[in-house]
């Protein structure tokens, strides 16, 4: 009797694994229709930008974002718009579509707004650790240039700008 139960369980698991491994109908990953993904499944940010940028100003505003058939860009607009300028540019779109692990870069103001539990406009080590901001935890002392044990907007701007500059230099090489 146990033999039949074991065999039935294994058979059921194989069927489930086979069905789920096939992915959604049509072989796509649920992205936008019309060939807007490169081979390998990652969407092409420049194609998406050109499709949604109806006024040809090289950015996507909230109204244009509503044209995303999946609704994902409109839904995640504030997270994708990391510099809080009310527009999504190509670089922000590429970052949001990338498969990179780790947190997406966001503006220091937005970061403080989301992480500052005591409402003092700065971040202390406990707040940063509690919100699992690993990059800030690991670099806290280096970012805190005035040694007040708090991270303010200016310190975060300097940190993120130097980080962005080093990434640009790496890409050029």
């Amino acid at each position: 009797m146990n033999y039949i139960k074991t065999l039935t369980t294994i058979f059921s698991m194989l069927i489930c694994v086979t069905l789920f491994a096939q992915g959604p109908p049509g072989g796509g990953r649920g992205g936008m229709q019309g060939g807007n993904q490169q081979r390998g499944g990652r969407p092409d940010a420049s194609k998406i930008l050109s499709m949604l940028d109806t006024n040809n100003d090289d950015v996507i505003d909230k109204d244009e974002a509503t044209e995303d058939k999946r609704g994902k860009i409109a839904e995640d607009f504030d997270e994708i718009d990391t510099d809080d300028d009310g527009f999504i540019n190509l670089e922000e779109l590429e970052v949001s579509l990338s498969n990179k692990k780790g947190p997406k870069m966001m503006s220091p103001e937005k970061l403080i707004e989301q992480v500052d539990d005591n409402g003092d406009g700065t971040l202390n080590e406990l707040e940063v650790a509690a919100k699992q901001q690993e990059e800030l935890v690991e670099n806290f002392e280096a970012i805190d240039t005035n040694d007040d044990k708090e991270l303010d907007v200016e310190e975060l701007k300097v940190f993120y700008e130097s980080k962005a500059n080093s990434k640009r230099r790496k890409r050029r090489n």
Side-chain angles (χ1 to χ4, degrees), residues 124-164:
N124 61 45
E125 287 186 84
L126 183 60
E127 291 169 324
V128 169
K131 298 289 174 115
Q132 299 177 346
Q133 296 292 321
E134 298 301 323
E135 181 177 45
L136 298 181
V137 170
E138 293 169 7
N139 297 291
F140 195 92
E141 289 180 18
I143 301 169
D144 183 23
T145 55
N146 63 7
D147 295 322
D148 66 351
K149 307 292 185 226
E150 300 279 331
L151 304 181
D152 59 42
V153 171
E154 291 307 314
E155 289 171 323
L156 290 169
K157 282 181 180 178
V158 168
F159 172 69
Y160 286 125
E161 184 59 34
S162 67
K163 185 177 164 187

Side-chain angles (χ1 to χ4, degrees), residues 3-171:
Y3 176 75
I4 293 173
K5 285 181 183 178
T6 304
L7 193 58
T8 304
T9 302
I10 291 172
F11 182 71
S12 298
M13 288 174 54
L14 285 173
I15 289 174
C16 289
V17 168
T18 303
L19 288 174
F20 285 110
Q22 291 177 10
R29 290 181 13 169
M32 296 174 67
Q33 301 297 317
N36 291 319
Q37 291 186 347
Q38 300 170 342
R39 279 207 168 329
R42 187 170 150 207
D44 184 308
S46 59
K47 286 183 182 177
I48 293 171
L49 181 69
S50 67
M51 284 181 55
L52 298 181
D53 179 23
T54 56
N55 63 2
N56 297 318
D57 60 355
D58 294 326
V59 291
I60 301 170
D61 61 37
K62 286 191 178 193
D63 290 334
E64 291 170 326
T66 60
E67 298 301 313
D68 175 22
K69 302 235 184 312
R70 299 174 304 146
K72 198 73 175 135
I73 292 174
E75 181 181 313
D76 297 336
F77 192 92
D78 291 332
E79 287 78 32
I80 298 170
D81 178 25
T82 57
D83 62 6
D84 287 331
D85 65 354
F87 302 98
I88 297 173
N89 61 35
L90 180 60
E91 185 177 329
E92 290 170 324
L93 192 56
E94 286 173 339
V95 169
S96 76
L97 295 172
S98 73
N99 293 328
K100 294 177 187 173
K101 293 184 179 178
K104 296 175 186 168
M105 166 58 187
M106 71 173 66
S107 72
E109 294 86 358
K110 187 181 282 189
L111 180 65
I112 288 176
E113 182 182 312
Q114 290 182 0
V115 177
D116 182 22
D117 285 335
N118 63 11
D120 66 355
T122 61
L123 305 179
N124 61 45
E125 287 186 84
L126 183 60
E127 291 169 324
V128 169
K131 298 289 174 115
Q132 299 177 346
Q133 296 292 321
E134 298 301 323
E135 181 177 45
L136 298 181
V137 170
E138 293 169 7
N139 297 291
F140 195 92
E141 289 180 18
I143 301 169
D144 183 23
T145 55
N146 63 7
D147 295 322
D148 66 351
K149 307 292 185 226
E150 300 279 331
L151 304 181
D152 59 42
V153 171
E154 291 307 314
E155 289 171 323
L156 290 169
K157 282 181 180 178
V158 168
F159 172 69
Y160 286 125
E161 184 59 34
S162 67
K163 185 177 164 187
N165 287 338
S166 77
K167 282 184 181 179
R168 284 185 208 114
R169 275 183 250 133
K170 283 181 183 178
R171 277 189 234 143

